Structure formats: structure tokens, C-alpha cells
Amino acid sequence: MRGSRITGTGGRLPDKVVTNHDLATRMDTDDEWIRSRTGIEERRIGGTTTEHAVEASRLALERAGVDAADLDLVILATTTPDRAVPGTSPGVALALGARCGAIDINAACSGWVYGLVMAHAMIGSGMERILVAGAETLSRITDWEDRTTAILVADGGGAAVVEATDGPGDLLGWDLAADGDTEKYLFAEMGGYLEMNGKEVFRHAVSLMADSSERALAQAGLSADDVDVVIPHQANIRIIEACCKRLGVPPEKAVITLHFMGNTSAATVPFTLDHAVAEGRLSDGDVILFSGFGAGMTAASAVMRWSGPTTG
Ligand code: COA
């Protein structure tokens, strides 16, 4: 049997910090409203999707001790590619020195977890080493006059190296979901800005993420009581808390980064994983629940028994 495990992680945020107070100078909002409704205090804006993906991936490769030339595949989850054609991943692979296939995937904020599950499947088919990155420049598709979306979104990247291992590996269960009926609640037309019905997204997000997590746990043969750490998509602290409550997982088990980075879509889960490693939140043998949801609406969850890095 041939399994997979994460052997290195990396994260990258742009330098420019935009606080809630900064936003309040350009639109009708205030720090108190944004903090209490979302948990976000500041976010980072700038750069390109390629830059964020490359920088986060370099760190992940270095920490895994993997040479980019030895990668078998580069998967880049993004909703904000740098151009319409070609995909962003071939340029990322080139910048890293990889000589393998490269593909963009767009499952919105669930994208990186989709990529993680796909990497596991490709490793089961014979590949040895796969880079799974998530990177975004949501600031480019945001109307900075629109207080309903501009307070939420941000830019950045995260990445992990997934490698083959003897035995079953670390991925114990997973779930991928999509409900096209709810795509009308969160979308951007070609060349347009993000449009969102916040209340509907909130309502569907909690059930999508909790249901997906439950299916992944069931496939792993585990229950919520077995979960040691949750690495959730970082959209809104209230969504994360409501999801933990529905699952029956204490909210303090969830790693939170949204207060300083906002919602960076496909980048939040790998960035938060890297942050958890750097903060010493993960121990060998921990059961980790990764769960994301986003436009589509999509959801994706993965349950891992961690044998990856425990210090940054
Ligand atoms: N600052 C101040 N007031 C604002 C505001 C802002 N940025 N945005 C909206 N408001 C106002 C509204 O106009 C409304 O005023 P009214 O009562 O006078 O009509 C009031 O605040 C409440 O708005 P509402 O939309 O009901 O707030 P909410 O509690 O649903 O919170 C969100 C709004 C966007 C924070 C919340 O719905 C949410 O987080 N949804 C999920 C979004 C998400 O996660 N998207 C990404 C998914 S990957």
C-alpha cells in the first residue's frame, strides 16, 4: 500500500498591511463592526498570485528537503490567476525550477483541500512528490468601494509538499462537495468584481463545512472527539465557531489566522497549516481536520494523522 504525508509547509503574505481603521477612511464602516461581525482586524494586500505561490512553495520545498527538480506535479489552487490564459502554475513551476506537470485548480476557497486530496490520489497512482500551493490576489477582483466584500478579502499564499510513504500514510479520510445551486450567492463575472449575499453565504457555509467534515471523519472511522486540531478556511470567526459547535469540537482546537490576514481564499488553509507548525500547535500523531468552503458553493475536508513537521 502506498500512502502520502505532508513533509514541508510554507506561507507568504504581502508586506502592505491594511487595518480596519484604514478601510474606515475610504468607506462607510468601522473597526468595531468589522471585528465583531468577522473577527478580522487587518489584512495584507499586494503582489501577484505567482509571487505568493512561489515564495510559499520555496519555503515548503526547503523545509521538506525536496529539490523542485524532483517534483512530479505542481498543483496550484487559485481563484485569481494572474492571466486568463495560460494558467498560473506553469510559471510557478518554472520559477521554482520544477520540470514536471503543472495545473491550476479553481474550487474557490476549498481549492487547496481539493488539491491535497488529488495529490494523495496521484501518489497512489505512482507519483513520489507533489507540491500543492494555494495563492490569491483577491484585491484585484474586489471593488474597494463595496463595504460588503472589501472588509473580508486579502492576498497571500501557502504551500505544502506531499510525498509518498510506505504503508497507508497520513490521510485517513476526505470529502469533496459542490452545490451549484448556491453559486448565485458568491461569484465574479469575467473581468468583474466579487459579488456576495453575505447572509446566504454564511448560512450555507456552516452546514457545508460541518457536513463535509462529518463525512470525512466517518470515512476515517473517527468521531469529533478524536480531533486534536482543526485547520479551517478563514472567512469569518463566527462561521468557524458555529461549525465547531455543530461538530461538537471545542473551538479552541481551531487554528485562527484571519484576524491578521483576512480571507485569502485558497491560500488560507495552507497558510494556517504553516502557521500552526510555526507556533508548535501540531504534535506527532495528532488527528488534524482540514476543512474549507467557498464559492460554488464548494466544500472539502481531509482528516490526517500528522507525521509532518512540528516546528517551523
Ligand atoms: N460596515 C458597517 N456596516 C455594514 C457593513 C460594513 N462593512 N456591511 C454591511 N453593513 C450594514 C448593513 O447595511 C446592515 O445595515 P441595516 O441593518 O441598516 O440594513 C447591517 O450592517 C447588517 O448587515 P448584514 O449583512 O445583515 O450583516 P451580517 O451580520 O450578515 O454580516 C457579513 C455581514 C458579510 C460579515 C456576514 O454575512 C458574513 O460574514 N457572511 C459570510 C461571508 C463570507 O464568508 N464570504 C466568503 C466565503 S468564502
Side-chain angles (χ1 to χ4, degrees):
M1 198 166 178
R2 205 180 145 78
S4 67
R5 57 188 287 264
I6 290 176
T7 54
T9 64
R12 204 256 184 161
L13 296 179
D15 293 334
K16 186 179 174 193
V17 177
V18 177
T19 66
N20 292 345
H21 296 288
D22 294 331
L23 290 180
T25 63
R26 51 193 298 176
M27 62 189 77
D28 184 16
T29 190
D30 59 79
D31 177 55
E32 215 298 298
W33 194 96
I34 302 172
R35 268 176 206 255
S36 61
R37 293 296 221 282
T38 70
I40 298 169
E41 295 166 20
E42 60 186 38
R43 70 285 292 140
R44 309 292 183 102
I45 300 295
T48 65
T49 295
T50 301
E51 280 167 22
H52 301 322
V54 168
E55 292 308 318
S57 299
R58 279 201 179 119
L59 284 171
L61 287 162
E62 193 183 304
R63 289 170 184 158
V66 167
D67 189 333
D70 294 328
L71 287 170
D72 294 315
L73 185 64
V74 171
I75 298 175
L76 172 63
T78 185
T79 40
T80 47
D82 287 329
R83 286 172 299 182
V85 179
T88 302
S89 53
V92 170
L94 178 72
L96 292 171
R99 294 191 288 258
C100 56
I103 184 169
D104 289 23
I105 58 171
N106 179 351
C109 307
S110 316
W112 187 84
V113 183
Y114 266 78
L116 178 67
V117 173
M118 290 160 71
H120 173 76
M122 295 304 279
I123 282 171
S125 303
M127 287 188 173
E128 291 289 332
R129 286 163 221 94
I130 301 181
L131 177 75
V132 188
E136 304 280 4
T137 38
L138 290 175
S139 60
R140 287 186 297 124
I141 59 163
T142 301
D143 176 357
W144 288 95
E145 308 293 317
D146 178 4
R147 67 179 185 171
T148 64
T149 52
I151 57 157
L152 302 173
V153 299
D155 304 333
V161 176
V162 185
E163 293 191 69
T165 179
D166 289 336
D170 291 3
L171 185 64
L172 308 177
W174 50 268
D175 175 72
L176 305 179
D179 172 16
D181 198 36
T182 51
E183 67 175 26
K184 54 186 175 275
Y185 299 133
L186 180 56
F187 62 92
E189 297 293 357
M190 295 298 285
Y193 289 134
L194 271 178
E195 296 182 43
M196 184 181 73
N197 179 330
K199 274 205 186 314
E200 289 295 342
V201 171
F202 194 112
R203 199 163 65 83
H204 289 283
V206 176
S207 51
L208 271 170
M209 194 152 82
D211 291 350
S212 174
S213 298
E214 271 167 0
R215 288 191 294 266
L217 282 166
Q219 195 189 62
L222 298 175
S223 75
D225 291 342
D226 299 310
V227 174
D228 295 301
V229 180
V230 184
I231 311 262
H233 172 47
Q234 310 279 316
N236 183 317
I237 190 73
R238 292 187 297 138
I239 292 176
I240 294 171
E241 286 169 357
C243 182
C244 285
K245 193 169 170 199
R246 253 199 58 179
L247 286 170
V249 175
E252 53 276 13
K253 288 190 175 178
V255 182
I256 305 299
T257 53
L258 61 82
H259 53 291
F260 65 87
M261 71 180 288
N263 180 350
T264 57
S265 193
T268 70
V269 176
F271 182 91
T272 304
L273 170 62
D274 183 58
H275 181 78
V277 172
E279 297 277 300
R281 291 276 304 262
L282 310 185
S283 303
D284 199 43
D286 273 356
V287 171
I288 303 182
L289 170 64
F290 296 93
S291 193
F293 70 91
M297 289 183 70
T298 58
S301 302
V303 179
M304 273 197 166
R305 188 170 303 278
W306 190 249
S307 74
T310 51
T311 50

